[in-house]
């Protein structure tokens, strides 16, 4: 579905943001990208919808070289909700913002209405339908960028720091959306510092540091590697830390609070 | 130290808003405390912060009942320039706060505007850079710095004004976890060294609970919980108010309800230790 072949990207400033990155993401996979500030995570995902084109190497989406495609064409397939919603919102009303891409993609009026209503209700934005996106709170703006993207139903959904400014209730909802995306066969890429949010999703984890992919594998394996994470300035999720410090423990770390509770209070636990 | 912030029976409603954003709010903060403010989106946290730094009622008007005092000033009566020297604010994104050509010029900016004598500016900027561990960055251009460094420069620009209270609005949300932990440690050190009071809004509780003296939870404009962080995290109501309880605290609460004899504590290390002790007893 998505393939990076030896991709290097050098900014106009001369700064190298990606170095020899190779990565293959299959359809319906869920990927989480972690790493220090400036590791190249956002640069990586901007290559998937062609906002950035590699300086060296190739990025393929559905077998097609992104260099030969416009960002508009790629966007039909790949939706990105960026870290800073202010860079993404520009319409005069929440409704106009949500329907902008749908109109551009030539959806029917009926379908547009249907998607609009679903998206605004789902993200709790219905009451702001006629408000300016700029009048929303930071957390609401983030939800609006997500609503806009999910409304056009792209095959690949990329979320860059989706939990920033979101409270527990919204995070829970977001986690539900991501699980729903996975179950409906979407390819999902989450860029996030929020390891506590990522961990229960048990994604494939890509660890980046200084423009390189330094590790790529299941979260339940990589999150156990304290040294690797330390090098990329990533913290271990609390449940993994707890697991590693227990003298008596199961074979693999607890994926959720409930898993931990069941084991600890169960027959071989401690309680 | 005495009180630095006193919020008394405060209610505030924005013009044309149906509901009060902050209602019947009471809060006292002692000098040198680190107080963390949490609550779901739209609970009134930002409004409360604005009433403390004076943006309300000086810039945002509305229906204002009750009173807020900071240091020796009654916020509604003080001039913004007086308040600005008492209360410092660090934004979520340091990009909104730093703009000069070099780090030291950026830090000096606020003092230059107050026409502080050059010798004193020099001394205070040097001290602020030392306190934040950024002396070696003095001549660098802010845009060349990493996000963690930018955050420190922005904080130095606040500290140099020698405020009595610093408000941090989600200071770690754009930082990688390790950089976030370093910032949190830095806040504790600054408080210990300077006695500055900190009021911090943050969603990532697991980072801040260790350094906070108090955790205040807001819901629908009201203060609903106020106490030591370990007590609040163990309080069943906290989760119902929509704040993110860290997983290990949630687990600890659950295990206590299951009848395991556990204390109130914070992280994975403490819980593992307690569980290991209990396993030995079996």
């Amino acid at each position: 579905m998505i393939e990076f072949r030896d991709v290097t990207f050098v900014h106009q400033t001369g700064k190298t943001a990606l170095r020899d990155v190779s990565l293959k993401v299959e359809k319906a996979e869920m990927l989480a990208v972690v790493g220090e500030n400036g590791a190249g995570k956002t640069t990586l995902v901007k290559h998937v919808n062609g906002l950035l084109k590699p300086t060296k190497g190739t990025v393929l989406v559905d077998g097609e070289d992104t260099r030969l495609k416009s960002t508009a064409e790629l966007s039909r397939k790949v939706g990105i909700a960026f870290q800073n919603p202010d860079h993404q919102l520009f319409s005069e009303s929440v409704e106009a913002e949500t329907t902008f891409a749908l109109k551009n993609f030539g959806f029917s009026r009926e379908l547009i209405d249907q998607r609009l209503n679903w998206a605004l209700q789902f993200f709790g934005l219905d009451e702001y339908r006629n408000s300016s996106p700029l009048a929303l709170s930071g957390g609401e703006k983030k939800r609006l960028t997500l609503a806009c993207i999910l409304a056009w139903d792209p095959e690949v959904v990329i979320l860059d720091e989706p939990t920033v400014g979101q409270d527990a209730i919204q995070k829970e909802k977001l986690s539900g959306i991501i699980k729903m995306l996975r179950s409906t066969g979407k390819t999902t890429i989450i860029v996030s510092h929020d390891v506590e949010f990522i961990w229960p999703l048990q994604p494939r984890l890509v660890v980046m540091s200084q423009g390189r992919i330094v590790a790529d594998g299941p979260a339940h394996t990589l999150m156990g590697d304290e040294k690797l994470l330390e090098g990329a300035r990533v913290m271990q999720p609390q449940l993994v830390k707890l697991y590693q410090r227990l003298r008596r423990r199961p074979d693999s770390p607890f994926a959720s609070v409930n898993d931990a509770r069941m084991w600890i209070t169960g027959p071989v636990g401690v309680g | 130290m005495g009180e630095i912030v006193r919020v008394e029976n405060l209610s505030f409603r924005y013009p044309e808003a149906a509901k009060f954003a902050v209602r019947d709010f009471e809060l006292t903060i002692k000098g040198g405390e680190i107080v963390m403010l949490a609550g779901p989106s739209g609970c009134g946290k930002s409004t409360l912060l604005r009433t403390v730094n004076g943006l309300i009622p000086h810039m945002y008007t509305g229906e204002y009942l009750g009173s807020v005092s900071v240091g020796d000033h009654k916020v509604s009566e003080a001039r913004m320039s007086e308040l600005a020297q008492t209360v410092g604010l660090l934004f979520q994104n340091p990009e909104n706060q730093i703009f000069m050509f070099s780090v030291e010029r950026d830090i000096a900016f606020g003092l230059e505007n107050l026409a502080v004598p050059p010798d004193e500016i020099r001394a205070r900027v040097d001290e602020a850079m030392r306190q934040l561990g950024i002396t070696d960055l003095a001549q660098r251009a802010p845009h060349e710095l990493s996000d963690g460094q930018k955050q420190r420069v922005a904080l130095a620009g606040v500290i140099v004004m020698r405020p009595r209270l610093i408000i941090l609005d989600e200071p770690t949300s754009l930082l990688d976890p390790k950089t976030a932990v370093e910032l949190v440690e830095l806040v504790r050190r600054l408080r210990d060294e300077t006695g500055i009071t900190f009021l911090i809004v943050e969603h990532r509780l697991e980072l801040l609970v260790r350094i906070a003296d108090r955790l205040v939870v807001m819901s629908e404009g009201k203060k609903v919980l106020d106490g030591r962080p370990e007590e609040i995290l163990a309080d069943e109501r906290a989760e119902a108010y929509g704040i993110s309880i860290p997983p290990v605290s949630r687990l600890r609460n659950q295990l206590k309800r299951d009848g395991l004899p556990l204390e109130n504590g914070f992280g994975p290390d403490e819980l593992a230790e307690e569980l290991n002790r209990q396993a030995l007893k079996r």
Side-chain angles (χ1 to χ4, degrees), chain A residues 36-37 83 164-165 167-168 193 196 230 233 235 238 241-242 245-247 257 260-261 264-265 267 269-271, chain B residues 40-41 147 173-179 182 242-244 246-248 250-251 254 258 260 269 272 275-276 279 282:
Chain A
E36 78 259 354
N37 286 118
Q83 182 172 333
V164 169
D167 61 38
H193 291 312
E196 303 299 353
E230 180 99 30
R233 302 184 69 75
M235 299 273 280
Q238 285 198 334
K241 232 183 202 169
L242 172 75
R245 282 157 184 69
L246 285 181
R247 262 193 223 111
V257 168
R261 177 192 171 205
I264 290 166
T265 59
V270 297
Chain B
S41 309
D147 292 352
S173 63
L174 301 175
L175 302 179
D176 63 56
K178 288 270 178 208
T179 309
E182 286 164 9
I243 66 169
S244 293
V248 161
R250 249 173 29 230
L251 176 61
Q254 193 62 58
D258 291 336
L260 255 67
D269 294 283
L275 290 172
N276 286 337
R282 291 222 319 185

Side-chain angles (χ1 to χ4, degrees), chain A residues 60-88:
Chain A
L60 303 172
V61 175
D62 269 346
E64 294 182 297
D65 190 333
T66 58
R67 269 205 213 85
L68 309 174
K69 291 273 174 185
S70 70
T71 302
E73 282 173 292
L74 287 164
S75 293
R76 182 66 191 86
K77 262 183 204 160
V78 182
I80 307 188
F82 286 107
Q83 182 172 333
N84 188 344
D86 289 332
H87 296 170
Q88 199 155 5

Side-chain angles (χ1 to χ4, degrees), chain B residues 44-80:
Chain B
K45 298 186 296 283
S46 302
T47 303
L48 183 74
L49 294 185
R50 286 172 182 165
T51 66
V52 174
N53 75 0
L55 282 177
I56 294 175
H58 296 286
M59 309 291 270
Y60 295 88
T61 53
E63 193 175 343
Y64 185 104
L65 305 167
S67 77
V68 180
S69 307
V70 179
D72 310 320
H73 304 290
K74 192 168 177 189
V75 170
S76 58
E77 287 162 16
R79 277 185 307 223
M80 277 306 275

